[in-house]
Amino acid sequence: MGEPIRVLVTGAAGQIAYSLLYSIAKGDVFGKEQPLVLVLLDITPMMTVLEGVVMELQDCALPLLREVIPTDKEEVAFKDLDIAILVGSMPRREGMERKDLLKANVKIFKSQGAALDKYAKKTVKVVVVGNPANTNCLIASKSAPSIPKENFSCLTRLDHNRAKSQIALKLGVTANDVKNVIIWGNHSSTQYPDVNHAKVNVKGKEVGVYEAIKDDSWLKGDFILTVQQRGAAVIKARKLSSAMSAAKAICDHVRDIWFGTPVGEFVSMGVISDGNSYGVPEDLLYSFPVVIKDKTWKFVEGLPINDFSREKMDLTAKELTEEKETAVEFLSSA
């Protein structure tokens, strides 16, 4: 076994982290040979709860977990990190305008970005989960100028997995039989789940999803709406936001960064849009199809985009541009 890697999870006393930490600590993400130091950051009022989480991690008696460090201090949390998973954010309260939500989160992610810049390894990989994830990620990156922009990504894998599973359910196949779905844009209800390039294995034969499903109106209508609004549907049913599925998606996202994507497959990730060939404006944190090799992602190039897709991709880019403009205004005053 090699040297332990340092992995930070923020919002560590929250419910996504509660599902996530066990998976990381038992080796589902970085492999069964990779020892870990887990650093857990949360706000001061959550420290007692966090102590309970630490006790439980100890009680799991996990061979890879070398140390657990609970803290409410950024200078402790961000020191020498290999990976930072930023789950904690200000949640949207009832009656709260999106603008107020942005303002509160700009403050958090400006501070965490600056801490990454000051204390973390320059090779650190940063994954932002806390919403509004795309814009929070952009703010963190802008606040950490010494860390390459490409090292920052935000989670749209949950949406990607939701899309994959809806297709699998419709066709009566397993989720593994479906590949290359795409989430374009923002992790919000304007995201565009695109299956024009997706393939499905039906009875040993690989076919396009449109060809397999033979129901274009469902694919262009209810399918998209279901994926876009799935988070709200879970909240309505559970009175709590997605945690188990969010944690699973984070594991998928980080494992793919660490080990790469399978040959012939691509995944969705929110990344910096600079240099993309899909007409998405520069300097946005936008979800694209990517392939990953040697811990480095690349855009999947050359996918033909039809008019239906173009309109949806532009709409979510417009929302992200507006969010960014609002956030950057707050950034100078935060």
Side-chain angles (χ1 to χ4, degrees), residues 25 51 75-76 110 112 127 169 184 187-188 227 234 255 264 266 283 289-290 300 304 317 323 327:
E51 283 301 333
E75 63 274 18
V76 176
K110 180 184 181 179
Q112 294 190 351
V127 179
L169 287 166
W184 297 100
H187 174 64
S188 74
V227 176
V234 171
R255 191 177 52 244
F266 48 77
D283 198 39
V290 299
V300 174
E323 264 187 38

Side-chain angles (χ1 to χ4, degrees), residues 47-331:
M47 283 301 106
T48 313
V49 175
L50 197 54
E51 283 301 333
V53 175
V54 174
M55 286 185 230
E56 284 210 68
L57 280 167
Q58 291 167 343
D59 298 349
C60 287
L62 296 160
L64 295 172
L65 191 55
R66 294 299 158 86
E67 196 182 353
V68 184
I69 303 166
T71 185
D72 56 359
K73 294 179 180 58
E74 285 183 343
E75 63 274 18
V76 176
F78 288 90
K79 190 157 178 46
D80 296 336
L81 291 180
D82 294 288
I83 296 257
I85 304 172
L86 309 183
V87 181
S89 65
M90 169 74 83
R92 192 168 182 171
R93 306 249 155 73
E94 224 165 321
M96 196 183 203
E97 288 296 316
R98 200 168 165 86
K99 210 166 170 167
D100 299 330
L101 183 71
L102 264 174
K103 192 170 188 174
N105 280 301
V106 164
K107 207 175 153 192
I108 295 168
F109 286 88
K110 180 184 181 179
S111 178
Q112 294 190 351
L116 282 161
D117 203 55
K118 192 171 172 186
Y119 301 111
K121 291 182 181 172
K122 298 306 172 199
T123 52
V124 66
K125 302 292 185 197
V126 184
V127 179
V128 177
V129 178
N131 283 321
N134 299 58
T135 299
N136 287 346
C137 188
L138 189 66
I139 294 300
S141 172
K142 285 184 180 300
S143 307
S146 71
I147 295 168
K149 289 179 191 178
E150 295 72 32
N151 290 20
F152 287 81
S153 61
C154 82
L155 186 78
T156 55
R157 186 60 168 265
L158 177 52
D159 310 300
H160 179 101
N161 287 349
R162 285 165 172 163
K164 210 172 153 160
S165 115
Q166 287 301 311
I167 297 297
L169 287 166
K170 185 84 169 171
L171 288 169
V173 297
T174 71
N176 262 3
D177 291 322
V178 182
K179 69 176 191 185
N180 299 352
V181 303
I182 301 169
I183 304 296
W184 297 100
N186 200 359
H187 174 64
S188 74
S189 58
T190 67
Q191 61 170 273
Y192 170 43
D194 176 7
V195 292
N196 284 293
H197 313 285
K199 300 265 188 278
V200 58
N201 191 326
V202 183
K203 298 184 181 129
K205 191 166 163 261
E206 197 170 81
V207 286
V209 164
Y210 268 84
E211 192 192 329
I213 285 186
K214 299 182 178 61
D215 183 349
D216 291 15
S217 66
W218 181 78
L219 284 169
K220 289 182 167 174
D222 283 352
F223 162 71
I224 291 175
L225 285 171
T226 300
V227 176
Q228 286 175 333
Q229 296 169 7
R230 188 69 158 187
V234 171
I235 290 176
K236 195 168 177 237
R238 274 194 87 222
K239 312 290 179 270
L240 291 164
S241 59
S242 316
M244 177 177 24
S245 54
K248 158 66 164 59
I250 296 165
C251 290
D252 290 347
H253 178 118
V254 178
R255 191 177 52 244
D256 284 347
I257 290 175
W258 209 249
F259 292 109
T261 45
V263 175
E265 275 190 48
F266 48 77
V267 294
S268 308
M269 259 163 98
V271 294
I272 194 71
S273 61
D274 301 3
N276 80 86
S277 60
Y278 292 105
V280 176
E282 303 272 296
D283 198 39
L284 285 183
L285 214 294
Y286 188 101
S287 181
F288 287 93
V290 299
V291 288
I292 306 164
K293 194 181 172 188
D294 302 327
K295 300 188 172 61
T296 307
W297 58 265
K298 283 194 176 78
F299 295 120
V300 174
E301 300 287 1
L303 298 172
I305 304 296
N306 61 28
D307 293 346
F308 179 82
S309 295
R310 182 76 266 160
E311 195 180 320
K312 295 250 185 288
M313 287 163 69
D314 290 347
L315 184 77
T316 191
K318 183 171 176 280
E319 181 182 62
L320 277 170
T321 304
E322 287 162 11
E323 264 187 38
K324 174 186 142 178
E325 282 163 4
T326 310
V328 169
E329 266 171 57
F330 292 144
L331 188 60

Side-chain angles (χ1 to χ4, degrees), residues 39-51:
V39 190
L40 310 181
L41 177 70
D42 215 312
I43 54 175
T44 311
M46 296 306 286
M47 283 301 106
T48 313
V49 175
L50 197 54
E51 283 301 333

